[in-house]
Amino acid sequence: MASGPNMMAPICLVENNNMQLSVNQRATQILEQISQPVVVVAIVGLYRTGKSYLMNRLAGQNRGFPLGSTVQSKTKGIWMWCVPHPSKPNHTLVLLDTEGLGDVEKGDPKNDSWIFALAVLLCSTFVYNSLGTINHQALEQLHYVTELTELIRTKSSPKEDGTEDSTEFVSFFPDFIWTVRDFTLELKLNDDPITEDEYLENALKLIPGKNPRIQASNLPRECIRHFFPKRKCFVFDRPTNDTKLLANIENIPENQLDPKFQKQANNFCSYIFTQARTKILREGVMITGNRLRTLVVTYVDTINTGAVPCLENAVTTLAQLENSVAVQKAADHYSEQMAQRVRFPTDTLQELLDVHADCEREAIRVFMEHSFKDENQEFQKTLVEIIKDKKQHFLQQNEEASVKYCQSMLDQLSKALMENISIGTFSVPGGYKLYRQAKESIEWNYSQVPRKGVKANEVLQNFLQSQASIEKSIWQADKALTDGEKAIAAERASKEAAEKEQEVLRQKLLEQEQQIEAQQRSLQENIAQLKEKMERETENIIKEQNMMLEHKLKVQEDLLKEGFRKKSEEMDEEIRQLKHTIDTTKNNEASWFTQALDRFGSEIISIFASPVRVLDTVVRTVSSIFKKNLSS
Ligand SMILES: Nc1nc2c(ncn2[C@@H]2O[C@H](COP(=O)(O)OP(=O)(O)OP(=O)(O)O)[C@@H](O)[C@H]2O)c(=O)[nH]1
Ligand SMILES: [Mg+2]
């Protein structure tokens, strides 16, 4: 079963010291151990606005993320607390508490922007926390959201169609929640009661006019509407009006808090517990604790090199790491299952090949389950090669076990014969007949031994060959035989030898055919499972593109409704491009699959090529021997 978290207290995940971001190794070690999918909730906002306190409530604790009781900011960098998800079984809830934004005591505000961007990239629910009301000022303070286009890239290279890279933010950005603390207004619009969500949406409506102040607050509005498709708002009363209690809030019992606040906080928590989504990267790639670790490390490393974190690169890094683990897991599964299911020697080669086919099918399934974005099937091909080598090893083991067993059986069965030869039992008149009887009885007894395996004929053949000269000297010395009978004996001996040789060759030929057939099965299995996976991945891509389209159409419609015709028309081109991309994906799906599968198929055949060529020569040699025998 996937492993979950075991953390008594939060720990710093991204340190922000001397204006340098770094990832705390102790925290990444914790994430590494978490193989469960994660729901990641990050809280961001101005300093000293009760963020850490709210996060502690999500962890179900009074204490945890340290709160500050002075005006100085408390939290530095990004802190993490992983707890078992309270309502999603086998999921981990990762809470990310961040350093307060906008603290004038801090030297360089640049890291504020990075912390904001990192929180967006790492979480699946982004909570923006502010005090008071959502007004111009609050929106101006949210200018970080407008900087995201400079701080996050979707693609590693500019898009071919020339559209802005940020048009795809919507496909991987988290859900957005605005939490408004110490909210003192009434939720009313033109005297009509409104919901918290309506309050937020209303506050996000663009304000007409050219006033620079208005423009400055319109930009964050647009960004939020464009980048975050799912938005929610929660307002909170002041937890208590007693300032003394407030300053010491983590130590006061729940029932001393304002009942309204209690209710609001509980609502917020239960919304997070039931609605916050599992973190998905893109195209359905589910994020586990371990994958989150890779993301944090990749993003912070990128920032430290002076570059901009790029989603596509992060996916590639993640895929490379995960796919090599997937190959290992699949190969181990194959070996374990083969070792468990095969009893050496198998009766026939086919028996071994059948077990191999079953284990290989399972191994490919394990690989498909754990891999993603395997560009050009590089990793799947590696798996094909590994399994090919492992299979070869099992075949060899099987042959060795068969030889060993057959040899020991023959040694036992021929023991008396060998003794009689050495003491001269057959060197008497009529000795040849006695010898023949003894030899035939060995052959018969040998044929009755079950499960001798693939080398049964060959081992017998070797034994008979080693007997040929002995047999010859026995009949030559046997005085009871006439010359005519000796000639018949000689002819019979060579005919029998030829027959036995043919039998061994016939078996070889059959086995070679079985091997070729097994390779074909393996090829088909690889292709079938790849096709299935490609279909699933394409389905996810189309789903994601449709979601983007739906969102953009909605934004466009809203702009039009609000009277911003020009802005709404500006989105036409972007929407047209997206529709075109969706059509192309759908239309090219079939031919794209065929091409990819053909290429992959021929590459696998070339992996098998060497044994196939060997087979070819064997087949040709065997058939020429047959022809020779037939004509003689
Ligand atoms: N007025 C008010 N104060 C709060 C609220 N929640 C917590 N506090 C108090 O505000 C102070 C700061 O709370 P924190 O949770 O540490 O705030 P923060 O936003 O995490 O602060 P930084 O980490 O410094 O950015 C503490 O003394 C809390 O007791 C609230 O809803 N309203
Ligand atoms: Mg804090």
Side-chain angles (χ1 to χ4, degrees):
M1 209 175 78
S3 50
N6 180 20
M7 274 179 92
M8 300 308 287
I11 182 174
C12 187
L13 173 64
V14 180
E15 285 161 359
N16 180 15
N17 288 329
N18 305 325
M19 289 183 264
Q20 173 80 24
L21 298 178
S22 59
V23 180
N24 177 6
Q25 275 208 358
R26 279 202 302 132
T28 53
Q29 280 161 3
I30 292 172
L31 283 176
E32 207 169 11
Q33 302 303 317
I34 301 175
S35 54
Q36 290 178 341
V38 288
V39 173
V40 190
V41 180
I43 193 160
V44 177
L46 290 198
Y47 71 113
R48 318 302 301 130
T49 49
K51 299 184 294 298
S52 299
Y53 175 67
L54 197 60
M55 283 284 115
N56 284 342
R57 290 195 74 106
L58 279 180
Q61 307 279 335
N62 258 355
R63 287 158 201 276
F65 293 112
L67 314 188
S69 53
T70 68
V71 288
Q72 277 189 319
S73 57
K74 184 75 186 170
T75 311
K76 291 272 178 263
I78 300 179
W79 282 64
M80 166 186 94
W81 200 353
C82 305
V83 296
H85 196 289
S87 59
K88 266 191 189 167
N90 302 321
H91 280 65
T92 295
L93 178 63
V94 180
L95 302 170
L96 298 180
D97 185 21
T98 62
E99 174 173 331
L101 307 170
D103 181 359
V104 281
E105 282 185 24
K106 276 192 289 194
D108 183 6
K110 184 67 185 169
N111 276 355
D112 275 2
S113 306
W114 281 127
I115 284 170
F116 191 94
L118 274 173
V120 168
L121 282 168
L122 296 175
C123 73
S124 50
T125 295
F126 181 86
V127 181
Y128 183 72
N129 187 67
S130 75
L131 272 183
T133 54
I134 305 181
N135 52 17
H136 281 303
Q137 196 193 355
L139 281 155
E140 270 170 13
Q141 280 163 349
L142 189 43
H143 61 89
Y144 301 96
V145 75
T146 65
E147 294 166 15
L148 289 176
T149 50
E150 308 295 321
L151 301 184
I152 295 176
R153 295 205 60 78
T154 312
K155 297 256 188 283
S156 55
S157 45
K159 287 176 67 179
E160 282 162 18
D161 57 18
T163 48
E164 284 272 335
D165 187 75
S166 61
T167 57
E168 288 191 30
F169 280 2
V170 57
S171 64
F172 63 95
F173 265 31
D175 293 341
F176 180 90
I177 298 181
W178 196 319
T179 49
V180 191
R181 314 290 285 276
D182 294 1
F183 184 75
T184 47
L185 302 177
E186 258 189 291
L187 278 173
K188 276 191 172 164
L189 187 68
N190 306 326
D191 286 337
D192 293 326
I194 49 168
T195 63
E196 291 150 292
D197 293 345
E198 284 165 341
Y199 171 65
L200 171 65
E201 290 310 309
N202 194 53
L204 292 180
K205 280 193 177 141
L206 301 190
I207 313 287
K210 298 242 177 312
N211 178 330
R213 184 99 199 269
I214 289 173
Q215 293 287 322
S217 65
N218 267 350
L219 198 52
R221 288 187 173 95
E222 277 190 82
C223 288
I224 295 172
R225 289 164 60 149
H226 280 273
F227 302 161
F228 298 95
K230 196 167 167 206
R231 302 183 289 269
K232 233 9 235 166
C233 178
F234 289 89
V235 301
F236 300 80
D237 280 52
R238 193 185 282 266
T240 162
N241 281 323
D242 183 330
T243 38
K244 259 207 189 124
L245 288 182
L246 199 56
N248 191 27
I249 199 165
E250 55 190 335
N251 295 320
I252 66 163
E254 182 77 7
N255 60 13
Q256 285 194 35
L257 297 178
D258 180 339
K260 261 164 103 188
F261 176 84
Q262 287 179 39
K263 194 164 168 236
Q264 289 155 336
N266 291 342
N267 266 350
F268 169 75
C269 290
S270 72
Y271 176 83
I272 295 285
F273 298 154
T274 56
Q275 306 297 320
R277 288 180 299 152
T278 306
K279 171 89 180 151
I280 305 277
L281 205 49
R282 258 198 106 165
E283 297 165 16
V285 177
M286 177 91 72
I287 298 300
T288 57
N290 184 30
R291 287 178 173 179
L292 188 65
R293 183 203 77 90
T294 309
L295 289 186
V296 183
V297 173
T298 312
Y299 290 143
V300 173
D301 281 354
T302 312
I303 294 170
N304 284 334
T305 60
V308 172
C310 167
L311 184 82
E312 194 174 57
N313 293 347
V315 175
T316 310
T317 309
L318 201 57
Q320 297 272 338
L321 281 173
E322 299 257 328
N323 292 347
S324 38
V325 174
V327 169
Q328 193 58 50
K329 275 197 176 128
D332 289 349
H333 183 87
Y334 174 80
S335 302
E336 279 160 23
Q337 288 303 311
M338 285 293 282
Q340 248 178 49
R341 295 190 209 176
V342 178
R343 194 159 59 84
F344 293 119
T346 61
D347 201 16
T348 59
L349 174 68
Q350 193 60 53
E351 186 184 321
L352 181 64
L353 292 176
D354 286 346
V355 183
H356 154 78
D358 287 348
C359 296
E360 184 182 44
R361 185 180 317 112
E362 285 179 20
I364 301 172
R365 212 161 273 300
V366 169
F367 172 76
M368 293 301 178
E369 224 173 81
H370 292 92
S371 64
F372 64 95
K373 278 216 169 289
D374 180 14
E375 299 284 345
N376 296 324
Q377 289 70 52
E378 289 307 327
F379 288 91
Q380 194 177 348
K381 277 183 280 180
T382 310
L383 180 64
V384 170
E385 284 196 55
I386 294 176
I387 291 186
K388 185 195 93 180
D389 291 346
K390 283 183 185 281
K391 173 181 137 195
Q392 210 48 46
H393 179 69
F394 281 117
L395 289 175
Q396 200 183 330
Q397 241 181 301
N398 198 33
E399 288 181 359
E400 283 165 7
S402 170
V403 168
K404 204 168 152 209
Y405 182 59
C406 293
Q407 200 56 61
S408 77
M409 288 319 287
L410 254 188
D411 286 350
Q412 267 180 42
L413 295 172
S414 62
K415 198 165 173 238
L417 179 86
M418 301 313 275
E419 274 168 15
N420 283 329
I421 292 171
S422 64
I423 58 171
T425 311
F426 306 117
S427 310
V428 293
Y432 177 60
K433 198 176 168 200
L434 286 176
Y435 170 82
R436 289 284 307 179
Q437 280 168 352
K439 197 180 85 169
E440 275 162 20
S441 129
I442 292 173
E443 278 188 67
W444 194 83
N445 285 335
Y446 182 74
S447 76
Q448 297 305 299
V449 176
R451 297 191 65 86
K452 294 189 292 293
V454 288
K455 289 291 182 184
N457 282 335
E458 237 175 285
V459 171
L460 178 65
Q461 162 86 343
N462 287 343
F463 168 74
L464 294 176
Q465 265 172 9
S466 72
Q467 286 294 308
S469 56
I470 298 168
E471 183 170 344
K472 190 175 174 190
S473 56
I474 291 175
W475 94 60
Q476 278 177 343
D478 192 339
K479 295 208 167 66
L481 293 179
T482 64
D483 283 352
E485 282 169 331
K486 285 182 183 174
I488 292 171
E491 197 181 319
R492 186 167 58 189
S494 78
K495 202 171 154 218
E496 275 174 4
E499 269 172 17
K500 284 276 180 309
E501 196 185 342
Q502 268 189 32
E503 205 177 313
V504 170
L505 289 171
R506 212 176 292 128
Q507 187 192 342
K508 277 220 164 90
L509 187 60
L510 177 73
E511 287 180 350
Q512 304 297 1
E513 279 168 5
Q514 290 172 344
Q515 293 253 36
I516 294 177
E517 201 229 341
Q519 287 180 354
Q520 275 165 351
R521 269 203 282 175
S522 164
L523 175 67
Q524 279 159 5
E525 191 59 45
N526 268 290
I527 288 187
Q529 291 202 34
L530 172 61
K531 183 161 178 279
E532 229 176 77
K533 174 112 172 163
M534 282 165 76
E535 279 165 358
R536 270 201 309 272
E537 286 188 347
T538 316
E539 207 175 286
N540 280 334
I541 293 175
I542 294 176
K543 217 194 266 170
E544 188 175 285
Q545 288 171 341
N546 278 328
M547 183 279 272
M548 278 165 63
L549 179 64
E550 219 172 273
H551 171 68
K552 285 182 195 297
L553 288 171
K554 167 107 184 20
V555 174
Q556 191 182 40
E557 190 190 315
D558 288 349
L559 284 170
L560 199 61
K561 265 196 228 153
E562 289 162 30
F564 291 86
R565 174 173 289 280
K566 193 157 163 281
K567 276 196 184 292
S568 148
E569 279 170 6
E570 275 166 13
M571 289 185 72
D572 279 348
E573 180 55 20
E574 195 183 307
I575 289 172
R576 197 192 60 75
Q577 296 269 15
L578 185 55
K579 281 185 178 160
H580 175 71
T581 312
I582 296 175
D583 285 346
T584 320
T585 314
K586 279 186 192 151
N587 294 339
N588 293 352
E589 185 180 328
S591 64
W592 179 60
F593 276 11
T594 322
Q595 276 172 22
L597 295 176
D598 276 358
R599 182 187 39 74
F600 178 62
S602 54
E603 279 165 355
I604 298 198
I605 290 170
S606 77
I607 293 176
F608 292 148
S610 42
V612 171
R613 266 201 296 277
V614 173
L615 283 185
D616 237 32
T617 34
V618 171
V619 171
R620 257 184 273 120
T621 330
V622 172
S623 57
S624 75
I625 292 173
F626 270 133
K627 278 190 206 128
K628 223 169 59 198
N629 278 335
L630 281 176
S631 60
S632 66

PDB file of all heavy atoms in Angstrom, residues 507-522:
ATOM      1  N   GLN A 507      12.971 -31.421 -33.376  1.00  0.00           N
ATOM      2  CA  GLN A 507      12.619 -30.715 -32.138  1.00  0.00           C
ATOM      3  C   GLN A 507      13.195 -29.304 -32.144  1.00  0.00           C
ATOM      4  O   GLN A 507      12.530 -28.338 -31.785  1.00  0.00           O
ATOM      5  CB  GLN A 507      13.145 -31.494 -30.929  1.00  0.00           C
ATOM      6  CG  GLN A 507      12.664 -30.879 -29.613  1.00  0.00           C
ATOM      7  CD  GLN A 507      13.384 -31.447 -28.406  1.00  0.00           C
ATOM      8  OE1 GLN A 507      14.003 -32.507 -28.478  1.00  0.00           O
ATOM      9  NE2 GLN A 507      13.305 -30.749 -27.300  1.00  0.00           N
ATOM     10  N   LYS A 508      14.444 -29.185 -32.599  1.00  0.00           N
ATOM     11  CA  LYS A 508      15.082 -27.855 -32.649  1.00  0.00           C
ATOM     12  C   LYS A 508      14.279 -26.918 -33.524  1.00  0.00           C
ATOM     13  O   LYS A 508      14.022 -25.773 -33.158  1.00  0.00           O
ATOM     14  CB  LYS A 508      16.503 -27.969 -33.207  1.00  0.00           C
ATOM     15  CG  LYS A 508      17.521 -28.366 -32.195  1.00  0.00           C
ATOM     16  CD  LYS A 508      18.818 -27.561 -32.406  1.00  0.00           C
ATOM     17  CE  LYS A 508      19.701 -27.642 -31.197  1.00  0.00           C
ATOM     18  NZ  LYS A 508      20.653 -28.771 -31.248  1.00  0.00           N
ATOM     19  N   LEU A 509      13.870 -27.454 -34.668  1.00  0.00           N
ATOM     20  CA  LEU A 509      13.116 -26.638 -35.615  1.00  0.00           C
ATOM     21  C   LEU A 509      11.806 -26.161 -34.982  1.00  0.00           C
ATOM     22  O   LEU A 509      11.448 -24.983 -35.051  1.00  0.00           O
ATOM     23  CB  LEU A 509      12.829 -27.460 -36.870  1.00  0.00           C
ATOM     24  CG  LEU A 509      12.199 -26.707 -38.029  1.00  0.00           C
ATOM     25  CD1 LEU A 509      13.103 -25.586 -38.489  1.00  0.00           C
ATOM     26  CD2 LEU A 509      11.925 -27.654 -39.191  1.00  0.00           C
ATOM     27  N   LEU A 510      11.131 -27.102 -34.326  1.00  0.00           N
ATOM     28  CA  LEU A 510       9.867 -26.763 -33.671  1.00  0.00           C
ATOM     29  C   LEU A 510      10.095 -25.678 -32.610  1.00  0.00           C
ATOM     30  O   LEU A 510       9.354 -24.701 -32.508  1.00  0.00           O
ATOM     31  CB  LEU A 510       9.277 -28.022 -33.023  1.00  0.00           C
ATOM     32  CG  LEU A 510       7.992 -27.811 -32.246  1.00  0.00           C
ATOM     33  CD1 LEU A 510       6.832 -27.567 -33.206  1.00  0.00           C
ATOM     34  CD2 LEU A 510       7.678 -29.006 -31.356  1.00  0.00           C
ATOM     35  N   GLU A 511      11.185 -25.880 -31.866  1.00  0.00           N
ATOM     36  CA  GLU A 511      11.460 -24.907 -30.797  1.00  0.00           C
ATOM     37  C   GLU A 511      11.805 -23.535 -31.361  1.00  0.00           C
ATOM     38  O   GLU A 511      11.436 -22.508 -30.798  1.00  0.00           O
ATOM     39  CB  GLU A 511      12.591 -25.414 -29.905  1.00  0.00           C
ATOM     40  CG  GLU A 511      12.132 -26.565 -29.023  1.00  0.00           C
ATOM     41  CD  GLU A 511      13.228 -27.103 -28.127  1.00  0.00           C
ATOM     42  OE1 GLU A 511      14.396 -26.720 -28.309  1.00  0.00           O
ATOM     43  OE2 GLU A 511      12.897 -27.931 -27.254  1.00  0.00           O
ATOM     44  N   GLN A 512      12.502 -23.539 -32.483  1.00  0.00           N
ATOM     45  CA  GLN A 512      12.820 -22.238 -33.093  1.00  0.00           C
ATOM     46  C   GLN A 512      11.540 -21.538 -33.528  1.00  0.00           C
ATOM     47  O   GLN A 512      11.396 -20.334 -33.373  1.00  0.00           O
ATOM     48  CB  GLN A 512      13.758 -22.394 -34.298  1.00  0.00           C
ATOM     49  CG  GLN A 512      15.067 -23.121 -34.023  1.00  0.00           C
ATOM     50  CD  GLN A 512      15.957 -22.399 -33.027  1.00  0.00           C
ATOM     51  OE1 GLN A 512      15.586 -21.344 -32.516  1.00  0.00           O
ATOM     52  NE2 GLN A 512      17.105 -22.972 -32.708  1.00  0.00           N
ATOM     53  N   GLU A 513      10.619 -22.331 -34.068  1.00  0.00           N
ATOM     54  CA  GLU A 513       9.338 -21.733 -34.475  1.00  0.00           C
ATOM     55  C   GLU A 513       8.613 -21.165 -33.261  1.00  0.00           C
ATOM     56  O   GLU A 513       8.032 -20.086 -33.300  1.00  0.00           O
ATOM     57  CB  GLU A 513       8.448 -22.780 -35.158  1.00  0.00           C
ATOM     58  CG  GLU A 513       8.816 -22.995 -36.599  1.00  0.00           C
ATOM     59  CD  GLU A 513       8.145 -24.223 -37.195  1.00  0.00           C
ATOM     60  OE1 GLU A 513       7.309 -24.853 -36.507  1.00  0.00           O
ATOM     61  OE2 GLU A 513       8.483 -24.549 -38.349  1.00  0.00           O
ATOM     62  N   GLN A 514       8.671 -21.929 -32.170  1.00  0.00           N
ATOM     63  CA  GLN A 514       8.010 -21.457 -30.946  1.00  0.00           C
ATOM     64  C   GLN A 514       8.656 -20.166 -30.442  1.00  0.00           C
ATOM     65  O   GLN A 514       7.987 -19.271 -29.948  1.00  0.00           O
ATOM     66  CB  GLN A 514       8.079 -22.538 -29.865  1.00  0.00           C
ATOM     67  CG  GLN A 514       7.201 -23.729 -30.189  1.00  0.00           C
ATOM     68  CD  GLN A 514       7.417 -24.886 -29.224  1.00  0.00           C
ATOM     69  OE1 GLN A 514       8.406 -24.931 -28.489  1.00  0.00           O
ATOM     70  NE2 GLN A 514       6.494 -25.842 -29.236  1.00  0.00           N
ATOM     71  N   GLN A 515       9.972 -20.088 -30.597  1.00  0.00           N
ATOM     72  CA  GLN A 515      10.676 -18.874 -30.164  1.00  0.00           C
ATOM     73  C   GLN A 515      10.246 -17.676 -31.003  1.00  0.00           C
ATOM     74  O   GLN A 515      10.017 -16.583 -30.476  1.00  0.00           O
ATOM     75  CB  GLN A 515      12.189 -19.043 -30.342  1.00  0.00           C
ATOM     76  CG  GLN A 515      12.770 -20.082 -29.430  1.00  0.00           C
ATOM     77  CD  GLN A 515      13.562 -19.442 -28.311  1.00  0.00           C
ATOM     78  OE1 GLN A 515      13.171 -18.377 -27.821  1.00  0.00           O
ATOM     79  NE2 GLN A 515      14.636 -20.066 -27.886  1.00  0.00           N
ATOM     80  N   ILE A 516      10.155 -17.899 -32.307  1.00  0.00           N
ATOM     81  CA  ILE A 516       9.746 -16.792 -33.189  1.00  0.00           C
ATOM     82  C   ILE A 516       8.328 -16.359 -32.828  1.00  0.00           C
ATOM     83  O   ILE A 516       8.027 -15.179 -32.712  1.00  0.00           O
ATOM     84  CB  ILE A 516       9.820 -17.214 -34.675  1.00  0.00           C
ATOM     85  CG1 ILE A 516      11.270 -17.466 -35.046  1.00  0.00           C
ATOM     86  CG2 ILE A 516       9.210 -16.146 -35.586  1.00  0.00           C
ATOM     87  CD1 ILE A 516      11.491 -17.954 -36.451  1.00  0.00           C
ATOM     88  N   GLU A 517       7.495 -17.369 -32.608  1.00  0.00           N
ATOM     89  CA  GLU A 517       6.103 -17.061 -32.265  1.00  0.00           C
ATOM     90  C   GLU A 517       6.050 -16.283 -30.935  1.00  0.00           C
ATOM     91  O   GLU A 517       5.276 -15.341 -30.782  1.00  0.00           O
ATOM     92  CB  GLU A 517       5.324 -18.371 -32.163  1.00  0.00           C
ATOM     93  CG  GLU A 517       3.842 -18.188 -32.320  1.00  0.00           C
ATOM     94  CD  GLU A 517       3.084 -18.893 -31.208  1.00  0.00           C
ATOM     95  OE1 GLU A 517       3.666 -19.789 -30.546  1.00  0.00           O
ATOM     96  OE2 GLU A 517       1.941 -18.515 -30.981  1.00  0.00           O
ATOM     97  N   ALA A 518       6.918 -16.661 -29.984  1.00  0.00           N
ATOM     98  CA  ALA A 518       6.948 -15.970 -28.687  1.00  0.00           C
ATOM     99  C   ALA A 518       7.376 -14.522 -28.866  1.00  0.00           C
ATOM    100  O   ALA A 518       6.854 -13.615 -28.213  1.00  0.00           O
ATOM    101  CB  ALA A 518       7.894 -16.689 -27.739  1.00  0.00           C
ATOM    102  N   GLN A 519       8.321 -14.291 -29.764  1.00  0.00           N
ATOM    103  CA  GLN A 519       8.762 -12.909 -30.015  1.00  0.00           C
ATOM    104  C   GLN A 519       7.630 -12.094 -30.630  1.00  0.00           C
ATOM    105  O   GLN A 519       7.449 -10.925 -30.307  1.00  0.00           O
ATOM    106  CB  GLN A 519       9.966 -12.898 -30.945  1.00  0.00           C
ATOM    107  CG  GLN A 519      11.219 -13.372 -30.242  1.00  0.00           C
ATOM    108  CD  GLN A 519      12.430 -13.365 -31.149  1.00  0.00           C
ATOM    109  OE1 GLN A 519      12.323 -13.103 -32.334  1.00  0.00           O
ATOM    110  NE2 GLN A 519      13.570 -13.673 -30.576  1.00  0.00           N
ATOM    111  N   GLN A 520       6.874 -12.769 -31.508  1.00  0.00           N
ATOM    112  CA  GLN A 520       5.746 -12.046 -32.115  1.00  0.00           C
ATOM    113  C   GLN A 520       4.717 -11.689 -31.058  1.00  0.00           C
ATOM    114  O   GLN A 520       4.164 -10.599 -31.040  1.00  0.00           O
ATOM    115  CB  GLN A 520       5.103 -12.888 -33.210  1.00  0.00           C
ATOM    116  CG  GLN A 520       5.818 -12.707 -34.533  1.00  0.00           C
ATOM    117  CD  GLN A 520       5.453 -13.764 -35.538  1.00  0.00           C
ATOM    118  OE1 GLN A 520       4.793 -14.743 -35.209  1.00  0.00           O
ATOM    119  NE2 GLN A 520       5.903 -13.574 -36.765  1.00  0.00           N
ATOM    120  N   ARG A 521       4.479 -12.650 -30.156  1.00  0.00           N
ATOM    121  CA  ARG A 521       3.511 -12.380 -29.078  1.00  0.00           C
ATOM    122  C   ARG A 521       3.983 -11.203 -28.243  1.00  0.00           C
ATOM    123  O   ARG A 521       3.214 -10.334 -27.849  1.00  0.00           O
ATOM    124  CB  ARG A 521       3.389 -13.610 -28.177  1.00  0.00           C
ATOM    125  CG  ARG A 521       2.293 -14.560 -28.624  1.00  0.00           C
ATOM    126  CD  ARG A 521       1.834 -15.410 -27.459  1.00  0.00           C
ATOM    127  NE  ARG A 521       2.787 -16.494 -27.203  1.00  0.00           N
ATOM    128  CZ  ARG A 521       2.679 -17.341 -26.177  1.00  0.00           C
ATOM    129  NH1 ARG A 521       1.692 -17.204 -25.311  1.00  0.00           N
ATOM    130  NH2 ARG A 521       3.563 -18.300 -25.996  1.00  0.00           N
ATOM    131  N   SER A 522       5.285 -11.207 -27.945  1.00  0.00           N
ATOM    132  CA  SER A 522       5.845 -10.144 -27.123  1.00  0.00           C
ATOM    133  C   SER A 522       5.685  -8.789 -27.819  1.00  0.00           C
ATOM    134  O   SER A 522       5.293  -7.794 -27.202  1.00  0.00           O
ATOM    135  CB  SER A 522       7.318 -10.469 -26.876  1.00  0.00           C
ATOM    136  OG  SER A 522       7.992  -9.358 -26.431  1.00  0.00           O
TER     137      SER A 522
END
